[in-house]
Amino acid sequence: MDKKFSEGLSHKLIWACHDVTGDPVDELMTNIGTSFYKFLTKFEFNKVLRVLGRTFPQFLNGLDNLHEYLRFTFPKLKPPSFYCEHESRTGLTLHYRSKRRGFLHYVQGQIRNISQELFQTEVVIELLDIEHDLNLEHVIMRLHFNNLDFNRQGTAYRNLNDSILEKVKITSDIFFDIFPFIIVFNRGMRIRNIGIGLLRVMAGIVGKKINQTFLLMRPFIRFRWEEIMLHSNNIFELISSDPIQEDEDGILVYKTTDVDQMTEERHRMGDGEREKFLSLKGQMFYMEEWESICFVGIPVMSHLPQMYKSGLFINDFALHDSSRDLVLASTQQSAELKLLLHQEAQKSRNMRENMNRLKKERRRTDKLLYQMLPKSVANQLRHGESAVACCERFDSVTILFTDIVEFTKMCSSLTPLEVIEFLKVIYTNFDKIIDTHGVYKVETIGDAYMVVSGAPTKTEHDAEFILDCASQFLVEAGKMVNMNNKIHKIDIRAGVHSGSVVAGVVGLSMPRYCLFGETVYVANKMEQNSSPMKILVSETTHNKIEESDPGLYQFERREEIEIKDDQTIQTFFVVSRHGPHRVPSPRNCESRQDDSQTEDDDDDELLLPRKSGRKSPTSEAEEELKKKGQLSFTPVSDAGIECHSRNSNKTPRQSQDLTPRKSIT
């Protein structure tokens, strides 16, 4: 959509295709050139190619004219130049010049395909020579084909020319009136005469050399008599060496007088700069009676102000010259085109704004989705996979259950809003902790908090990550003291077990990522039999830690507990850890925030928009309860939660004693 790409991108794509397929780059370029004509037929552009010439050689001679036409649509186009010589019944020699290198085989593919599709002619291309002059690539090719019309057309043209010369003769005065911008120059390149229209704007150029008065912009040849005679079938474009319009300051300074450098400088000029010079476009043909070459051209005018500044008027153009109508019509069309372009630009801006809004909405919905489901599972569902297909068995995971000691008793002394604020403080800090330990929160039910490591992202350090996370939970809970006059401290207990589970998405209206298996049941039993501010682990988890990293954790052996049907299991309390915590790699972290940190600061406001100046419903309820005297403590703010989180991360690097400390005020 209205997007521009650099020219180098096409070569990068070709080389990337070469790396994938292994085909030679030259062969790929040839095939692309061959298929280009089929691409043009979709837009009926092949009809334009068909009218360029009656025969294949005429088509090749008309390619430059086609590129001149395309430059009206694509002003910044840098077209190549083609001209033919040494035509015979068996073919011709084609000269290809371009400022863009690396497209030779692409052009050859186009030539072969077009000759076959439009002229039913098989062409064999022989590469004769390649020259590089400054930034110009000059390729000489011999095209071998059956040129049946060569002698037939030459004879017919000579007979027609002889009959015209015998019947029609005109004087030079009439000739110069018909073509007011004609330039006649001899073999020495000196200007012998000019038309009346050109005389009005460039008086005094008669007697000067044309290749010093004008620069040759197209075709890409040397501005010499011999070169011009070889390219008589091409469109020539000349531009004056000196400006015919004064600059705004009345001064024009140029760095060089070298013709080649001046020509290159004109090519690089913008449209505004080039309008200060007179540009002529036309045809060169040889007048045998005058032993001179006549350049029959017309001024190239983009708009009426340029014509006025150049000193030209409509009546300077010949009556038969369509340039009169084109200049007048272009002014009206230019205004209409500017209006259309403005409308298209506005549509483009609106489209980009809508796309940005869509991307922002997509980020917000992704954020919500990743808060409900693991990112990897959510992406599978988004790509069309069923919930059953997302189910997976994990042979080795470690599950942690925590709950708050005497939570029911606490709730009896608190209002519902106070209970919500109380759990918000605890679980917000817990959520911040799990993102740093490579574990995933499965769910919270009341005061129960369940996390798992090893699912949905597999890791060989699942037991270690869970114990690190559980120990951090205890430290964080020990810091939450004297929150209000009803809750002086918080005690939690934790239970850990390792084993296999089956994980999958359950539900449609409120889908959740759930774990199933005996491992979940045993982990819950560990938590129920644990003690306040202690981590009770099963023998399976204990052995897993000891096998992977002996001595990493210090355990205290406890009594066996009954699981079910007289089945018992040995348990251990976690006493301390030796050494720093292991930092999980990013791929082991199912962060619920995903890429939200890179989003705009106003994403949260967009997520839950509210009117400016209005407080959140929670804040309104708090104020209402305060007025009634029912809220006995001030809920911890987000800043307070951040403070708790920062303090919880300041753990010592040495052996960490997991026995809860006294109150931290």
Side-chain angles (χ1 to χ4, degrees), residues 519-535:
T519 304
V520 180
Y521 173 75
V522 176
N524 190 25
K525 278 289 186 179
M526 292 294 108
E527 176 265 320
Q528 293 175 5
N529 288 273
S530 183
S531 301
M533 302 304 284
K534 292 286 188 178
I535 304 172

Side-chain angles (χ1 to χ4, degrees), residues 332-529:
Q332 179 181 358
Q333 292 176 357
S334 177
E336 295 175 354
L337 182 60
K338 287 180 179 179
L339 178 61
L340 291 175
L341 290 176
H342 176 73
Q343 293 175 349
E344 289 298 323
Q346 184 63 37
K347 290 179 181 178
S348 179
R349 284 193 296 269
N350 293 339
M351 180 68 73
R352 283 194 292 268
E353 291 176 0
N354 292 334
M355 290 296 293
N356 290 334
R357 293 193 190 101
L358 180 61
K359 290 178 181 178
K360 187 171 289 187
E361 291 291 334
R362 175 70 176 272
R363 289 198 301 267
R364 285 159 33 189
T365 55
D366 286 348
K367 181 178 178 180
L368 285 174
L369 181 61
Y370 296 151
Q371 288 174 346
M372 298 175 61
L373 299 173
K375 182 178 179 181
S376 56
V377 177
N379 290 336
Q380 285 181 282
L381 294 174
R382 177 182 290 162
H383 294 155
E385 296 187 20
S386 63
V388 176
C390 295
C391 292
E392 185 177 359
R393 174 184 172 86
F394 297 91
D395 295 327
S396 178
V397 302
T398 302
I399 298 176
L400 164 67
F401 275 96
T402 66
D403 74 343
I404 301 173
V405 180
E406 297 182 347
F407 177 70
T408 305
K409 182 179 179 180
M410 292 181 184
C411 292
S412 63
S413 62
L414 300 176
T415 65
L417 181 58
E418 289 174 331
V419 173
I420 293 175
E421 287 291 342
F422 170 62
L423 292 177
K424 173 187 173 183
V425 173
I426 297 175
Y427 290 154
T428 301
N429 281 307
F430 282 7
D431 289 345
K432 293 177 182 296
I433 291 172
I434 65 173
D435 285 337
T436 62
H437 289 283
V439 299
Y440 177 76
K441 182 173 77 172
V442 180
E443 61 182 347
T444 56
I445 302 176
D447 65 323
Y449 194 92
M450 177 184 176
V451 297
V452 62
S453 180
T457 304
K458 297 179 181 180
T459 175
E460 59 183 2
H461 305 292
D462 53 291
E464 182 179 350
F465 289 154
I466 283 292
L467 292 186
D468 289 346
C469 183
S471 63
Q472 195 67 37
F473 284 175
L474 296 184
V475 173
E476 190 65 32
K479 295 178 181 179
M480 298 179 187
V481 295
N482 297 328
M483 296 182 63
N484 57 72
N485 56 2
K486 297 180 182 179
I487 303 176
H488 299 288
K489 71 171 186 174
I490 300 173
D491 290 335
I492 66 171
R493 56 180 170 227
V496 178
H497 179 61
S498 301
S500 61
V501 295
V502 174
V505 178
V506 177
L508 295 177
S509 59
M510 287 289 292
R512 300 301 299 174
Y513 185 73
C514 299
L515 305 181
F516 303 93
E518 187 178 357
T519 304
V520 180
Y521 173 75
V522 176
N524 190 25
K525 278 289 186 179
M526 292 294 108
E527 176 265 320
Q528 293 175 5
N529 288 273

Side-chain angles (χ1 to χ4, degrees), residues 25 89 98 111 128 155 168 174 178 184-185 215 289 301 311 331 354 393 406 412 425 451 460 478 541 574 603 661:
V25 174
R89 285 185 58 85
S98 176
I111 291 174
L128 301 181
T155 303
V168 180
I174 296 176
I178 295 174
V184 180
F185 58 95
L215 302 175
E289 292 81 0
M301 296 291 165
T331 303
N354 292 334
R393 174 184 172 86
E406 297 182 347
S412 63
V425 173
V451 297
E460 59 183 2
T541 304
V574 179
D603 274 0
R661 294 179 174 84

